[in-house]
Amino acid sequence: MPPWWARSLRGRVTLIATAVAALVLIPVAVAGVITARSLMTASVFRDTRDTAERIAYEMRGGALPMGAAIPVPNPPVDLIQVVGPNGQILASSDAARNLPPLSDIRPTPENRVISVMNCLPTECIHVTAVRVSLFADSPVVYAGRSTPDLLANRGLEVVVFIEVGVLIGLASWATWLVTGRALRPVATMRAELDAVHAGDLSRRVTQPPGADEVSQLARSVNGTLARLERSAQQQRQFASDASHELRTPIAGLRAQLESAQLYPDDTDVEALVDSALRDTDRLEAIITDLLLLARIGSRVDVVKERVDLAELVLQEVSVRCDKVPVHVELTEGVVVEGVRLQLARVLTNLLDNAQRHAEHTVQVEVRREGEHTALLAVENDGVEIAEEDRERIFQRFTRLDAARSRDAGGTGLGLAIARDVVVAHGGQITVEDRVGGARFVLRLPAV
């Protein structure tokens, strides 16, 4: 089991921030130490080289006699020796008088300046050897100084890595605090979501101010809760409407059967059977439509095919025998991708609805609207649909003229089925303005 700090998002974020800080700061610290040591070493060797070359220059000019004490031109570089070809110390500074040769390195005529680090019995020094002349018996000037403490020990590394450790600790602590503050609204939302239950979907989570990711999450959660609440309300309303619609034919059927049972001699069996079959047909139609609504959109992507809307309209109109004539205005080659049976059901429902409400004629139009949209319009010359009812009529079991719809055998689900099929196919269906009638317009992506 992971430790406690790795079981929460806050702990994991802090761990990641600590790792990132370490991955960044440690290489920077190592590079900084190496750079600092290189710069300090270069500075020390620059001083020793300048001193050695100055003494060699003075010896070449005869300004520095052999055996005399060598003056120190740069006080930090106080160890100066002039060594002959046989290793004999010819001259030295006061600080180097009792020391053995500062180094056994002897520059060559080709490489007359050499800087090295050498450890004497008493201390370690940085020393530069300069050959006075190109002759074989040329003496060598050695100029050195004690190695600075920061180069002689690991004090620089210790200080730098202590600072790095402090910075990593501060980064972890700051990340822990900032993450805790940032996730506090999330904890509040979690507690508020735990309080939401199926019986009451009206509650919402607290939305923090601003437009950051947490605020967007709160808005998304509230939007989801609002959709769930609407869906639950629609389901409850749908269940109520469905039970009412199913109860009506069942109640009529039961009343007829009970009457026949009580008064068998006065019952017209043929009329009873015809009435019972009508009620059974209505029950079957409602149940069939309910099952279709439940299946719409579930397999659209699996059974897609290319459907020519003009051909679909001609096939549907050719098998209809309604009293109200259907006139068509079709553009060939308007093709969509979809489920042919479901699109045919949409057209059937729209034509049924139009012919129930038409006075003299029904008009069907198919054309392209722009480059990527297929348009199918069904209109009738009946009663106009009020603007406030144009969205409501697509709800299930909604009837603006309930008595006439029921007499015509409608289930109250035709337009709801049409809308769900169109939406499942990536389109939309609307009611548009028409003087003296109703116009239903279906738009689908064209191919």
Side-chain angles (χ1 to χ4, degrees), residues 195-215:
V196 177
H197 54 85
D200 181 16
L201 294 174
S202 62
R203 304 186 66 170
R204 299 292 183 268
V205 300
T206 302
Q207 180 177 329
D212 58 7
E213 288 79 0
V214 177
S215 179

Side-chain angles (χ1 to χ4, degrees), residues 255-269 272:
Q256 295 175 60
L257 293 176
E258 287 179 347
S259 176
Q261 186 181 36
L262 291 174
Y263 308 104
D265 296 334
D266 298 334
T267 300
D268 185 343
V269 176
L272 174 64

Side-chain angles (χ1 to χ4, degrees), residues 161-177:
F161 282 101
I162 287 176
E163 293 176 349
V164 169
V166 172
L167 290 176
I168 293 175
L170 288 175
S172 302
W173 177 71
T175 303
W176 179 264
L177 292 181

